[in-house]
Amino acid sequence: MTATRTAGQVPWARWLVRGLSIVACIVLWQLASAAHLSLGFVTFRNVPPPTEVLQSAIVLLKSPKLLAHVGSSLWRVFAGYGAAVLLGIGFGFAIGRSRAASDLLLPPLELLRPIPAVAWIPLSILIFPSSEMSMIFITFIGALFPIILNTVHGVANIDRRLVASARSLGGTPAAILREIVLPGAAPSIVTGLAIGMGTSWFCLVTAEMISGQFGIGYYTWEAYTLQNYADIIVGMLVIGLLGMGSSWLLTTLGHYLMPWRQPAAAR
Amino acid sequence: MNIRISDVSTRSVGRIGIERISISLGDGADAFEAVRDLDFAIAPGELVCVLGPSGCGKSTLLGALAGHLPVTRGRLTVDDQAVLGPSPDRGIVFQQHTLFPWKRVRDNVAFGPKMRGVGRSARYQAADEMLRLVGLDGFEHFYPSQLSGGMQQRVEIARVLINRPRVLLMDEPFGALDAQTRSMMQEVLLDIWTRIPTTTIFVTHDIEEALFLADRVIVMSARPGRVIEDIRLPFGRPRRAELVTEPDFVRLKRRILDLLRPPDSPEPLARLSPLWIR
């Protein structure tokens, strides 16, 4: 919002410094791994230099393996996160709007909430006969709680003056839900979606490392077990790119759905 | 141009009956009586200003008339129908606007017709017409946050009047505006009221504002609010800015000042929310 406006005004000198900072990091990494730098408590002996990583990345880009790994990871996130979005927003609305639903749904959710999603991995392997389902479930659990809690927060904190005003103007309960509560809660829901997306990826990569066949987390772990050390870093970079891409997607979606949140829309 | 349209059909609606009402707010130990034994009627088409010190229950009375809070005793009626809940028949405008931030100005104004099931093009046409009336043509596509305080209140008035309410309830609508905008908005309001004659109760604590706008000024006492004076103003219409320096105006102003000056000033009361929703 304001950040995008000021970003356009950042002078080129600052961009130069920012670019040099990244280049400096890569150069230091190259030097450290080329020299097999060892500080005692940390060693670069097994860390491949960036040049090697780049070569491995090009090899992976050209092989059909990349599509298979990224494709199955994306599918799992799509399924697990998608289910969490539908269920989380639905539950969030019910809990935020209805006392009965809150009494019915909130206690078990509050009990389960402190358990980190990753701790569900062993149980989910036992519950679901296919490892595919268990990984999707972990992804789902990771996203579910942030989405529910932020939706509840958004729905429960609607400005009551706006609701009173809408009633005075003839709004029925259904119309108020659609025209006031939903857009009023939207910023909070989108925050929940963004946090949920982060935890979703985190959980997926962990689950893939433990029980996967295919998937970018599995690829990274496989690289470690097969001692293709450059591929470890390629995997990490791909995971980072996927996370960045999905968070960009959400930000864009948020801007598109909530144009009133951008003062830049002013004429 | 500024002569009031005395359309018989519009002038016959909007009679307000306030029949021996008391309103208590709060629960348990915090409960207190906000207004006590209010009893007066307002004729169709009248513009009545309610004046009183803060905490005298002026806003509470408006909240009850809007249907947002129940009366403890007595009866509120509009055209002999009891007030039982919020209705677009009774439009209310607050000091702080309650425009929907996610709706453009035009969609805010068209909200009432939309709730009545009016089609898109018809309700946009009606909204644009109301916006022209309040002097905001050209701002249809703005979001409320992009407007100044005075413009936001114009949108608020347009959004309420598009429903052609029987009564217009205004709770210190210009209280948050600077002096210049405020006096401009007073003239805007009188102009709109002339074109769309609507029974109006205008709550304020600004004596000059009340005298400038009203046909009749009702002065209330501190909590629990009771009517201490009911003054019919002798000024003709249209009102002009010079009115405030005329001897009659100044004399009335002094009289109301004396009424409102407490014998021994008690501590000022905390401002109460006009919407006491539990």
Side-chain angles (χ1 to χ4, degrees):
Chain A
M1 293 178 288
T2 29
T4 50
R5 271 197 305 173
T6 47
Q9 294 156 7
V10 174
W12 62 269
R14 291 189 62 193
W15 281 114
L16 190 70
V17 173
R18 290 168 183 185
L20 283 177
S21 166
I22 293 175
V23 172
C25 285
I26 295 172
V27 168
L28 283 176
W29 168 18
Q30 176 78 42
L31 291 176
S33 49
H36 296 301
L37 182 71
S38 179
L39 301 172
F41 66 95
V42 58
T43 173
F44 279 74
R45 207 179 318 133
N46 296 320
V47 177
T51 42
E52 231 173 85
V53 172
L54 188 67
Q55 282 163 3
S56 300
I58 291 167
V59 170
L60 180 67
L61 266 177
K62 284 179 177 162
S63 83
K65 260 168 47 179
L66 178 69
L67 201 69
H69 284 303
V70 170
S72 50
S73 282
L74 280 176
W75 154 246
R76 286 165 195 156
V77 165
F78 179 77
Y81 180 78
V85 168
L86 292 181
L87 219 65
I89 294 181
F91 274 26
F93 257 78
I95 293 168
R97 291 295 291 176
S98 142
R99 187 170 295 171
S102 161
D103 288 342
L104 193 69
L105 296 173
L106 209 50
L109 289 174
E110 284 292 338
L111 277 180
L112 296 178
R113 187 164 68 100
I115 302 169
V118 176
W120 281 87
I121 292 178
L123 184 65
S124 73
I125 293 173
L126 293 179
I127 293 176
F128 296 101
S130 85
S131 65
E132 195 64 29
M133 265 312 287
S134 68
M135 281 184 286
I136 291 175
F137 177 74
I138 294 299
T139 316
F140 162 79
I141 280 286
L144 183 67
F145 289 105
I147 295 177
I148 287 186
L149 292 176
N150 279 281
T151 306
V152 170
H153 177 82
V155 169
N157 284 291
I158 292 291
D159 186 347
R160 290 198 291 184
R161 293 164 66 248
L162 295 186
V163 176
S165 188
R167 287 178 68 204
S168 259
L169 293 166
T172 57
I176 287 172
L177 203 62
R178 193 180 61 240
E179 308 259 345
I180 314 301
V181 178
L182 184 62
S188 186
I189 294 175
V190 171
T191 304
L193 294 182
I195 300 173
M197 185 60 97
T199 47
S200 237
W201 275 109
F202 170 80
C203 293
L204 175 74
V205 168
T206 316
E208 282 179 346
M209 284 185 173
I210 293 171
S211 68
Q213 293 164 2
F214 288 111
I216 197 63
Y218 170 77
Y219 169 85
T220 307
W221 189 253
E222 187 198 34
Y224 168 74
T225 50
L226 299 180
Q227 298 188 330
N228 296 331
Y229 293 154
D231 286 348
I232 295 178
I233 294 170
V234 173
M236 287 165 67
L237 291 175
V238 173
I239 293 167
L241 280 176
L242 289 174
M244 204 160 95
S246 40
S247 112
W248 173 84
L249 213 63
L250 272 175
T251 316
T252 310
L253 187 77
H255 284 217
Y256 175 74
L257 289 177
M258 301 181 291
W260 72 91
R261 304 263 295 169
Q262 292 154 275
R267 259 199 274 165
Chain B
M1 277 304 282
N2 263 344
I3 291 166
R4 191 133 181 246
I5 311 151
S6 342
D7 179 17
V8 178
S9 66
T10 49
R11 294 217 57 168
S12 61
V13 301
R15 180 187 306 282
I16 302 175
I18 296 165
E19 297 163 20
R20 299 191 64 80
I21 64 148
S22 298
I23 302 170
S24 295
L25 298 178
D27 293 311
D30 294 332
F32 63 91
E33 199 167 38
V35 299
R36 175 183 296 169
D37 273 340
L38 292 184
D39 191 77
F40 55 91
I42 292 168
E46 227 177 359
L47 201 168
V48 175
C49 282
V50 177
L51 260 177
S54 42
C56 76
K58 328 180 274 277
S59 298
T60 306
L61 173 64
L62 278 203
L65 275 168
H68 290 307
L69 45 105
V71 299
T72 320
R73 272 201 312 279
R75 207 166 93 99
L76 284 175
T77 61
V78 171
D79 294 327
D80 297 321
Q81 288 193 308
V83 171
L84 297 173
S87 151
D89 261 355
R90 283 168 273 115
I92 185 160
V93 176
F94 299 103
Q95 179 173 358
Q96 302 296 337
H97 79 84
T98 57
L99 299 175
F100 308 131
W102 42 85
K103 286 184 183 287
R104 293 176 189 274
V105 164
R106 174 188 271 159
D107 287 298
N108 262 287
V109 177
F111 185 79
K114 186 179 186 183
M115 293 300 103
R116 284 201 308 275
V118 177
R120 182 187 290 251
S121 65
R123 65 174 191 259
Y124 278 174
Q125 200 182 336
D128 289 354
E129 208 171 294
M130 284 309 302
L131 284 168
R132 231 176 353 261
L133 189 73
V134 299
L136 277 185
D137 37 339
F139 292 91
E140 295 85 356
H141 299 288
F142 280 58
Y143 284 105
S145 61
Q146 297 172 287
L147 303 181
S148 69
M151 290 160 106
Q152 288 167 343
Q153 289 303 60
R154 288 177 194 233
V155 179
E156 190 84 68
I157 293 169
R159 186 174 71 164
V160 162
L161 287 183
I162 200 170
N163 292 327
R164 302 291 150 141
R166 287 164 190 270
V167 301
L168 173 58
L169 308 168
M170 307 191 86
D171 189 1
E172 299 194 38
F174 311 143
L177 305 177
D178 62 87
Q180 210 176 341
T181 313
R182 171 188 273 230
S183 72
M184 185 187 69
M185 287 301 292
Q186 290 164 1
E187 295 190 30
V188 168
L189 175 66
L190 284 185
D191 183 53
I192 297 168
W193 178 75
T194 308
R195 292 162 199 252
I196 305 179
T198 309
T199 312
T200 303
I201 303 188
F202 189 106
V203 159
T204 178
H205 59 241
D206 179 338
I207 299 173
E208 281 202 12
E209 183 169 67
L211 288 174
F212 182 73
L213 293 174
D215 294 317
R216 186 179 155 199
V217 173
I218 289 173
V219 184
M220 285 175 67
S221 70
R223 198 163 85 188
R226 282 150 298 159
V227 174
I228 51 176
E229 192 76 71
D230 188 339
I231 307 167
R232 191 160 291 281
L233 301 184
F235 315 126
R237 294 191 188 272
R239 304 267 165 97
R240 305 203 182 285
E242 301 87 73
L243 175 70
V244 298
T245 53
E246 279 174 20
D248 270 357
F249 190 97
V250 176
R251 187 179 49 77
L252 275 168
K253 184 179 171 184
R254 186 162 307 142
R255 179 167 151 210
I256 295 172
L257 264 175
D258 287 340
L259 283 169
L260 288 177
R261 188 168 295 135
D264 49 310
S265 346
E267 257 179 76
L269 291 159
R271 217 190 131 68
L272 298 166
S273 160
L275 290 179
W276 200 282
I277 311 162
R278 261 159 274 176

